[in-house]
Amino acid sequence: MAKEKGRKLIAQNKKARHDYLVIDTYEAGLVLTGTEVKSLRQGRASLVDGFVQLDGNEAWLHNVHVPEYSQGTWTNHSARRKRKLLLHREEIDKLESKSQETGHTIVPLALYFKDGRAKVEIALAKGKKEYDKRQTLREKQDRRETERAISAVRRKQRA
C-alpha cells in the first residue's frame, strides 16, 4: 500500500474563528488508539466544544468527539476521552505562559491527516466581544460587496 501524501481534512472548527481572535497557531500530533484512527479515516469527528488544557509538562485535548468505530469490538474507545497532544517543550512553555494572560485560551481549529499521521491545528486565541463579532461580519460583508461591484464592472467592460 502506498503511503499517503499531502493533507486530508477531517474536521474544522469554523465557530472558533468566529468566537475568538486567533493570535498564533501550532500543529500538534495526537496520541490515538487504533479504533480512533479508523473512525477518523472514515471522516468522522467534531471539534465544536474542544479545548486544550496544559497539565504540567503536557498538553491535553478535551471534549473532541470522535465517534466509536462501527466495526469495533470491546476494544473500542470512548467518544469524548481526553487525548494527549504531541508538542515540543518550547511550544508548550510558550503556550503555557501566554495562556495565563486574561482572556486567552487554546482551541482546536482543524483535525487532519498529514502524510498519513493524524494532526490537529491548535490556536492561542483571545475571546471576542459581541461588538467585535458584529464588526468582523460587517467587514466581511463589505469586502464581498466590493468584490461583486468590481466583477460587475469587469463584466461590462468585456461586453
Side-chain angles (χ1 to χ4, degrees):
M1 191 166 119
K3 190 173 179 182
E4 290 182 43
K5 292 287 181 192
R7 180 175 159 153
K8 180 188 169 207
L9 188 65
I10 300 164
Q12 200 171 16
N13 191 356
K14 292 181 181 179
K15 191 174 182 192
R17 292 201 185 267
H18 179 262
D19 291 341
Y20 299 98
L21 175 67
V22 175
I23 298 170
D24 202 5
T25 61
Y26 298 90
E27 181 180 71
L30 282 164
V31 176
L32 300 172
T33 62
T35 55
E36 285 175 320
V37 175
K38 289 180 178 188
S39 185
L40 288 177
R41 290 215 185 274
Q42 291 178 339
R44 301 167 54 204
S46 174
L47 299 173
V48 174
D49 296 328
F51 65 95
V52 176
Q53 190 174 29
L54 299 170
D55 242 3
N57 297 331
E58 297 176 336
W60 295 88
L61 185 63
H62 291 269
N63 272 359
V64 171
H65 186 263
V66 177
E68 289 186 350
Y69 182 55
S70 56
Q71 279 107 30
T73 59
W74 58 272
T75 59
N76 234 335
H77 63 280
S78 61
R80 288 204 183 266
R81 75 176 189 90
K82 69 177 189 176
R83 295 164 180 92
K84 188 174 178 180
L85 294 178
L86 303 172
L87 290 163
H88 291 284
R89 167 73 42 233
E90 305 87 52
E91 292 174 330
I92 292 174
D93 293 341
K94 191 183 295 184
L95 280 170
E96 192 165 20
S97 66
K98 296 219 176 171
S99 67
Q100 298 297 326
E101 297 174 22
T102 309
H104 287 79
T105 187
I106 307 166
V107 293
L109 297 179
L111 187 62
Y112 54 91
F113 281 107
K114 182 178 178 184
D115 297 335
R117 301 193 187 273
K119 303 282 184 181
V120 64
E121 182 181 18
I122 60 174
L124 177 68
K126 185 172 183 168
K128 283 185 183 178
K129 303 281 188 219
E130 195 62 37
Y131 58 84
D132 288 335
K133 293 177 190 177
R134 284 194 297 267
Q135 182 179 355
T136 304
L137 286 173
R138 195 174 303 120
E139 289 171 359
K140 190 175 179 181
Q141 189 177 10
D142 291 343
R143 222 177 301 122
R144 205 177 287 145
E145 287 175 5
T146 56
E147 288 173 5
R148 283 182 186 152
I150 291 171
S151 64
V153 168
R154 286 185 181 154
R155 262 188 260 118
K156 286 181 182 179
Q157 289 176 348
R158 279 190 236 139

